[in-house]
Amino acid sequence: MTESLPSNVRTFIDLAKEVCNPDNIFIFDGTQKSYADICAKLVSSGALMPINSYLYPNSFLARSNPVDVARSEDRTFVCLPDGEKLYKLKPSEIPPTLGFTWGCRSSEIDAATGAEMTTEQMRAHMFKLFKNCMRGRTMYIIPFSMSPINSEFAKLGIQISDSAYVVANMYIMTRTGNGVLNKIKEGSPYIPCWHSVGCPLEPGEKDVAWPCRLLAKDRYITHFSQPDPDHKSFGNYSVMSYGSGYGGNAIIGKKCIALRIASKMARDDKVKWMAEHMLILHVTHTPCIGVDEKTKKKQYGPNESYTITAAFPSACGKTNLAMLEVPLEYRDQWHVSCVGDDIAWIRIDEQGRLCAVNPESGFFGVAPGTSDKTNRNAMETLRAGNSLFTNVGVTLDGDVWWDGKSDDPPAKIVNWRGNLMEESQYKDADADQEKKKKKAFIGQVAHANSRYTTPCSQCPIIDTQWNTGKGYPIDAMLFGGRRTKLMPLCIRASTWEQGVLSAATLRSEGTAAVSDRVMGALSFDPMAMRPFIGYNYGQYFQHWLDIGELAPKKPDIYTVNWFRKSDDGKFLWEGFSQNFRIVQWACLNARRKRIQGVIKEVEKDVTITPLGVAPLPNALMIDIKNAEQKKILADPQILTVDPKSSGLGNDWYQELSERKEYLSLYADDLPKKLVDEFNSLVDRFVEAGLAVPDGKTAQSLKL
């Protein structure tokens, strides 16, 4: 069967066969028939369950092992070439109160010596784990491309896996099949990708629906960026993932290749580029230029095109923004379309602009919170079918359900662990008790990190050019996290360097997308890339600064926060479709920049804060008293930066102090420009009247 493969791929597969010792080999050709066969096999084994085909045609439900439900950050390793360090400060030396850990580890500890393994020792350790790991199983060979196969952006890979579930997800999330093999035959390089659930079967042993290693310490997601000395023909890069079947750990094309490996490539390639954890949104503005005197109809000018990218940690509304629904009051002049919801590969074009493409072909979205109210376009994408749901609840008539899909859960539902749940479990004569029980009931239906995998092509607002491989010139970059206190709705950085600092010090409250994260705990997440940076963190920041030097027409950088709450716990911002107002403000700023060369501030629209330029209510059409025409009601507190504020969660001195402590972790890896930029930030807060606690000084905040 492998004789038809390109010779250099066959060399890899021959090695994989020798090491993994599978019973069978299957080359996935990327056809719809092969995908259907894979799904049928998963159904017959009990790994997938068909759901209601009337509601979701050709769609299935998977239930993972309860220990394998999220990315395993603590078991993710970035093994760099000799002489390179992912970080200098050991994870154990970071104060636990700071709310920061390195997103990946540089190596495993050798049990015999107590020392960190070298890169080649780590590789040898992985080969030892893979020895005979597929005994009793089928080895699937998955040729894949990140980005359209014929695009100049395309990066090709060959993934081996003993998980048919992974094959099905790769079919949706990447371009798979014979087209990739043809490009490799023509001379295009590829990245060898190893994956195994790590559960060989003995003769006669019955398999389980979701095989995986049950102990976290037995899972490894390992990235290499130097050649294997024993197999140099495979190139500089490879990935070896062992022990987990969960998407972020096992769908290697996604986070492993498209971010960790790609970010290293982007820095090291002769022509510099970027691989970022960003959505891509295309915005079209058709401005009204007047009203026809005779017909009284509005007249419109030519279309103006804008592209927004935005980076958020997982489960912070990134997909909702990527599939943004323009509020009704703006639809006569504004239209948005989705290019991608998670990853952007960014290159500098001949005009000096940063241009982005989406390297994926599917959405791997967080289900909880997704509904027709919050993201109708995502729901329409799912209703088109051809989707996989993982760890959601299912009703007795085959509908799927999760927290937030509707106001009330179904009367009877089978939860993500396969247990029947009924509304009688939370009904109570005491209304307060019933409310508490109902909340707990809902939380058990679907896992908080339950997912859907669905094709981009089905999205009702997918951009017509999304799959061409051509880059979209970026007009604005948004960075945001989940902050219930302190951070304003929106800030535009005055300079690229100021924007890089704000993105590098991004903080967010923890979500369920990571297995070891405390829900609600505040953590630093630089550029929303903390778990995905594939080389030294300080050098990654320097690369951002370098790109700013190389791209004369670089976009403006914004920080946003949809999640700020009042003292009584109520959200200050409606969010969802109303987030378009910030997108519109960024586009209009870009328009002024195109016409004037710079953004000339309009006094009634903005105010200057220590963090940067903040919009005033007028700029976003916010009215604090009466909503009329295109205005909405909002608390003006959502826009404020008050250096004099104090109190738990609202103390700018404390915030700056924690940012300093965090930046100090990078030691001399931190670029001097960011040191200077942070010290300037402190100066601006002092000038604005920063409240300094007794016994403290503002100067002590400086790096």
Side-chain angles (χ1 to χ4, degrees), residues 149-257:
I149 294 173
N150 293 315
S151 165
E152 63 175 321
F153 282 83
K155 301 296 180 187
L156 310 182
I158 301 292
Q159 177 169 347
I160 61 162
S161 177
D162 51 10
S163 167
Y165 170 83
V166 167
V167 180
N169 277 274
M170 286 288 286
Y171 172 76
I172 296 173
M173 294 302 302
T174 71
R175 288 86 175 171
T176 57
N178 292 333
V180 177
L181 295 176
N182 291 336
K183 288 295 290 185
I184 294 173
K185 284 180 182 178
E186 294 170 6
S188 295
Y190 73 90
I191 301 170
C193 303
W194 304 66
H195 171 256
S196 173
V197 294
C199 300
L201 294 171
E202 299 300 329
E205 182 181 356
K206 186 178 180 181
D207 201 3
V208 295
W210 187 281
C212 66
R213 302 297 296 184
L214 299 181
L215 298 179
K217 69 179 183 64
D218 293 333
R219 299 182 207 129
Y220 292 81
I221 302 92
T222 309
H223 309 70
F224 297 98
S225 55
Q226 75 176 18
D228 181 344
D230 295 328
H231 308 97
K232 291 184 178 180
S233 64
F234 293 165
N236 291 343
Y237 304 98
S238 61
V239 178
M240 302 183 82
S241 175
Y242 177 88
S244 171
Y246 170 76
N249 301 326
I251 305 171
I252 289 180
K254 190 167 176 59
K255 306 297 191 186
C256 297
I257 297 296

Side-chain angles (χ1 to χ4, degrees), residues 48-61:
L48 287 185
M49 182 182 83
I51 58 175
N52 191 315
S53 60
Y54 177 77
L55 300 173
Y56 306 96
N58 192 36
S59 298
F60 304 89
L61 168 68

